[in-house]
Amino acid sequence: RYYFYFQPTEEQKRLAAQTYNDTLLKKHFKAWLSFYSSKVEKRKKAVAQMERAVACHEARLKVRTFQRWYAWKCERYRSQQVLADKMRRICLQNAIFTTFRAWQQVTKHASDTNKWFKKYEIIDSDEEVEAKEESLGQDFISKLPHKASNKIFSFLDVLDRLTCSLVCRSWKIMVQDRSLWTQIDLQQIKDRTTDRLVANLAYKFRPFLCN
């Protein structure tokens, strides 16, 4: 066997060392680039995860805030309803109290008026009226008992009674008896009835109608 020994030259050694260094540099650069790319990807993923976490956190905060606001609104609505019910009850009680006080005053006024009319009837239907009408002459209806004359006038309608009250003082007193005006039947004179007539009747005989 023959062995051939090859001795590289200095140029070859330099080229070999340079090639080796270039190869190592390329490998290191590729490794660093891969590492850097992975870090960049991880960083991007971390940023995306953080953004999703922040968005999820904000959404939860919004949901919790809305739930608290809705609970507060419901509680306030219930409070307003309770307050409105109390105000309605108070207004109703005040209206009832005012109506009752007005009714008491009207009843008292009607009672006083009724007492006055009774007193007026007693005064006018006693000896003074009889003495006055004896000088002028009396008709047979004025000489009848009180119940009989009331029975006769009860068969007349409202307008006829008012007409009879214009005949004389004794007829006026008999026609204005409270038993004849406790109920007013307007059905018989519906064709001749006016609002003014009804208002005058209600005002003139209100003590008898109220009682």
Side-chain angles (χ1 to χ4, degrees), residues 9-23:
T9 62
E10 292 296 330
E11 184 66 23
Q12 290 177 346
K13 290 180 179 181
R14 187 182 63 79
L15 290 174
Q18 186 177 358
T19 303
Y20 178 74
N21 291 331
D22 292 341
T23 304

Side-chain angles (χ1 to χ4, degrees), residues 157-160 184-194 197 201:
D157 57 35
V158 176
L159 293 179
D160 292 337
I184 298 178
D185 186 10
L186 299 177
Q187 186 66 27
Q188 299 176 357
I189 57 170
K190 61 181 180 179
D191 297 333
R192 297 176 291 169
T193 304
T194 60
L197 174 62
L201 289 174

Side-chain angles (χ1 to χ4, degrees), residues 8-209:
T9 62
E10 292 296 330
E11 184 66 23
Q12 290 177 346
K13 290 180 179 181
R14 187 182 63 79
L15 290 174
Q18 186 177 358
T19 303
Y20 178 74
N21 291 331
D22 292 341
T23 304
L24 287 178
L25 183 62
K26 288 180 181 180
K27 288 182 179 181
H28 284 90
F29 180 77
K30 288 182 180 180
W32 175 83
L33 185 62
S34 177
F35 171 77
Y36 180 77
S37 300
S38 63
K39 293 289 287 184
V40 170
E41 292 294 330
K42 288 181 180 180
R43 186 175 296 175
K44 289 181 179 179
K45 290 181 180 180
V47 171
Q49 290 178 356
M50 182 60 69
E51 290 177 354
R52 287 195 297 269
V54 170
C56 183
H57 180 68
E58 290 178 354
R60 288 183 179 180
L61 286 179
K62 290 180 180 179
V63 171
R64 291 180 181 178
T65 305
F66 177 78
Q67 290 176 350
R68 292 178 181 176
W69 172 81
Y70 185 74
W72 172 80
K73 184 178 180 181
C74 293
E75 184 65 25
R76 185 177 179 184
Y77 179 76
R78 285 192 294 268
S79 301
Q80 289 177 352
Q81 289 295 321
V82 172
L83 183 61
D85 293 337
K86 289 182 179 179
M87 292 297 294
R88 280 194 290 268
R89 286 197 297 269
I90 292 172
C91 292
L92 181 61
Q93 290 176 358
N94 289 334
I96 293 173
F97 180 74
T98 304
T99 305
F100 181 73
R101 288 292 298 274
W103 175 79
Q104 279 186 333
Q105 293 178 359
V106 171
T107 305
K108 184 178 179 181
H109 180 69
S111 179
D112 295 340
T113 307
N114 190 20
K115 290 179 182 179
W116 185 85
F117 272 108
K118 283 184 178 179
K119 186 177 180 181
Y120 176 76
E121 289 176 5
I122 292 172
I123 292 174
D124 288 347
S125 61
D126 286 340
E127 293 117 4
E128 295 180 1
V129 177
E130 293 179 359
K132 290 179 181 179
E133 293 193 347
E134 281 180 0
S135 62
L136 299 174
Q138 286 185 339
D139 57 287
F140 70 96
I141 294 179
S142 301
K143 296 179 180 180
L144 292 175
H146 184 68
K147 292 184 178 179
S149 61
N150 283 352
K151 189 68 175 177
I152 292 173
F153 285 117
S154 65
F155 290 105
L156 301 178
D157 57 35
V158 176
L159 293 179
D160 292 337
R161 291 178 197 170
L162 295 177
T163 304
C164 290
S165 67
L166 302 176
V167 174
C168 61
R169 190 178 185 84
S170 61
W171 280 37
K172 181 178 181 180
I173 294 173
M174 288 186 291
V175 169
Q176 289 181 348
D177 188 84
R178 62 178 298 174
S179 62
L180 297 175
W181 299 99
T182 54
Q183 293 182 353
I184 298 178
D185 186 10
L186 299 177
Q187 186 66 27
Q188 299 176 357
I189 57 170
K190 61 181 180 179
D191 297 333
R192 297 176 291 169
T193 304
T194 60
D195 295 339
R196 185 175 181 181
L197 174 62
V198 175
N200 291 333
L201 289 174
Y203 178 77
K204 186 174 183 180
F205 300 103
R206 66 184 184 280
F208 306 141
L209 295 174

